[in-house]
Amino acid sequence: MRARHLPYLFILLWTCPTCARDLSVGLITGLPVTNLLEAREGTVSETSRYTFGPDLRIGLRNGFAVDINLLYKRAEFGLRSHPARAAIRRLELPVQLRYLFPGGRTRPWIQLGMSFNRVESLTGSDPCGPPDLGERFFCLAGTPVIEMRHRSTHGPVLGAGVEFRKKRLQIDTEIRVTRWVDRNFGTRDSPLQANLTQVEALVAVRF
């Protein structure tokens, strides 16, 4: 399925009463296990301790559901030789098919899908050369530090966890792995590059 087909899937699940059996909304938050950026050769990077955002679950039949999150990520970067820091803000939209194993109030589950990201802003640094390479570089203190290659990218995502249920309250704990097909920033040899593999621990609370 391509990204442009996702809105039609959501409309189908929303309007078809025999497809979507339950709808729950909530909040999701967590901690990154891997950093957003990998820093080498005189650069530094720090990923914000928290990610968070809204969460939507569309219940289907036989233990299946569609989970949709909108996650906010933030990281800072700079040069070891200079105190100034710049900040990256990125949004991620994971869409996953989830299967909940049979059980009681505590039940394990797995899910698989695709995630889409977009760099919403890059502040604290200035666009700079070298312009003849056709890429977009950003400078701190007049020195090129980071190269933006793809403002948006996507990749498969896999998650597993445990659901705790009490009446209408649902709490999910999860370990999630995303593998981006392209880097938002840098290349494999760049001193400052985006990580292709993303691992995070998440908790979702739904009503």
Side-chain angles (χ1 to χ4, degrees), residues 5-148:
H5 296 151
L6 289 173
Y8 301 105
L9 173 63
F10 301 155
I11 292 172
L12 174 64
L13 294 172
W14 184 272
T15 58
C16 176
T18 62
C19 298
R21 299 173 57 87
D22 188 28
L23 180 69
S24 60
V25 295
L27 298 173
I28 186 168
T29 186
L31 300 171
V33 178
T34 57
N35 290 323
L36 194 68
L37 298 172
E38 180 182 349
R40 302 176 300 182
E41 300 176 16
T43 62
V44 294
S45 173
E46 182 178 359
T47 301
S48 175
R49 290 187 60 189
Y50 301 104
T51 182
F52 59 89
D55 173 82
L56 172 67
R57 173 168 294 165
I58 303 170
L60 306 176
R61 294 178 178 271
N62 302 319
F64 287 95
V66 174
D67 279 1
I68 306 169
N69 313 138
L70 183 63
L71 296 172
Y72 170 82
K73 303 285 177 65
R74 185 181 186 276
E76 293 186 348
F77 67 90
L79 296 167
R80 293 187 183 277
S81 59
H82 196 275
R85 296 291 181 263
I88 295 166
R89 294 171 179 84
R90 189 173 80 182
L91 292 178
E92 297 176 9
L93 180 69
V95 181
Q96 301 182 84
L97 180 65
R98 174 182 183 266
Y99 177 69
L100 181 66
F101 291 94
R105 294 183 178 179
T106 302
R107 303 166 65 182
W109 54 265
I110 58 173
Q111 59 186 18
L112 177 67
M114 291 289 292
S115 188
F116 308 86
N117 74 31
R118 178 176 174 82
V119 178
E120 289 300 313
S121 66
L122 198 162
T123 57
S125 61
D126 300 315
C128 59
D132 57 315
L133 296 182
E135 304 294 348
R136 192 175 185 187
F137 288 81
F138 292 84
C139 287
L140 281 172
T143 301
V145 180
I146 197 168
E147 172 193 10
M148 181 186 289

Side-chain angles (χ1 to χ4, degrees), residues 133-198:
L133 296 182
E135 304 294 348
R136 192 175 185 187
F137 288 81
F138 292 84
C139 287
L140 281 172
T143 301
V145 180
I146 197 168
E147 172 193 10
M148 181 186 289
R149 298 182 58 82
H150 303 283
R151 180 174 287 273
S152 300
T153 187
H154 64 279
V157 56
L158 173 66
V162 178
E163 177 188 279
F164 304 90
R165 183 184 291 264
K166 185 175 182 180
K167 296 182 180 180
R168 292 190 58 84
L169 180 65
Q170 303 173 24
I171 301 176
D172 281 355
T173 60
E174 176 185 358
I175 295 294
R176 181 180 296 179
V177 180
T178 307
R179 178 68 179 181
W180 305 110
V181 298
D182 288 306
R183 288 182 171 89
N184 296 116
F185 297 96
T187 65
R188 182 176 59 182
D189 301 323
S190 299
L192 194 60
Q193 59 181 259
N195 275 321
L196 289 177
T197 300
Q198 176 178 295

